[in-house]
Amino acid sequence: MAKVYATGKRKTAIAKVWVSAPGKGTITVNGVDFEAWLGGHETIKKRVRQPLALTKQEASFDIVASTQGGGYSAQADAVRHGISKALAAMDADFRTILKPYGLLTRDSRIVERKKYGRKKARRSPQFSKR
């Protein structure tokens, strides 16, 4: 039984992902079933399963993930990044499939910091002529 660990990141969310083979295709996040964890967010669920769907391995691996930081959407993208990295580590052929879709690249977009004299990062106070 092979077990591969990978870390996925997105915004301020971090996901620790363990992919084990052979498996039945179960995904567990923070000790909760994947379906219960994301509830009715079908598009986000599809995004998390994307690396498995592209490599045609939906029912071949068991995935256990632990997430922290960020919101549920960022955590889901961090899990997706971790799954992609783990699959690439398992088989070099998976890397050639996942790389063109940008699933192995960490999305580095994070919130820009607030600046002095501004209301937010770029929002200026309202200008009053008189």
Side-chain angles (χ1 to χ4, degrees), residues 3 14 27 43 50 59 63 97 104 114 124 128:
K3 201 169 193 181
I14 300 169
I27 302 174
T43 54
Q50 187 182 10
I63 298 167
I97 295 168
L104 299 173
K114 184 196 174 299
S124 301
S128 173

Side-chain angles (χ1 to χ4, degrees), residues 3 21 27 36 40 42-43 48-50 52 65 67-69 72 76-77 85-88 91 98 106 108 111 118-119:
K3 201 169 193 181
I27 302 174
E42 294 302 322
T43 54
V48 172
R49 289 194 196 103
Q50 187 182 10
L52 297 168
T67 61
Q68 61 185 39
Y72 64 88
D77 283 345
K85 284 171 67 176
L87 289 174
D91 191 353
L98 297 170
R106 192 242 198 257
S108 61
V111 177
R118 302 281 175 142
K119 291 199 180 281

Side-chain angles (χ1 to χ4, degrees), residues 33-130:
D33 180 51
F34 177 66
E35 297 294 328
W37 180 62
L38 274 177
H41 301 282
E42 294 302 322
T43 54
I44 299 174
K45 287 181 194 175
K46 193 172 181 182
R47 239 176 23 215
V48 172
R49 289 194 196 103
Q50 187 182 10
L52 297 168
L54 290 171
T55 55
K56 296 177 180 62
Q57 303 296 320
E58 290 97 337
S60 303
F61 298 113
D62 284 341
I63 298 167
V64 177
S66 172
T67 61
Q68 61 185 39
Y72 64 88
S73 181
Q75 285 183 354
D77 283 345
V79 170
R80 177 176 83 161
H81 186 226
I83 292 170
S84 300
K85 284 171 67 176
L87 289 174
M90 281 184 140
D91 191 353
D93 294 337
F94 291 159
R95 182 175 178 81
T96 57
I97 295 168
L98 297 170
K99 186 80 172 146
Y101 290 92
L103 296 175
L104 299 173
T105 307
R106 192 242 198 257
D107 191 351
S108 61
R109 294 177 294 170
I110 58 169
V111 177
E112 190 176 342
R113 79 168 200 90
K114 184 196 174 299
K115 274 73 167 199
Y116 171 77
R118 302 281 175 142
K119 291 199 180 281
K120 297 196 313 185
R122 298 185 180 201
R123 170 81 169 101
S124 301
Q126 187 173 354
F127 176 73
S128 173
K129 196 167 189 178
R130 289 177 189 84

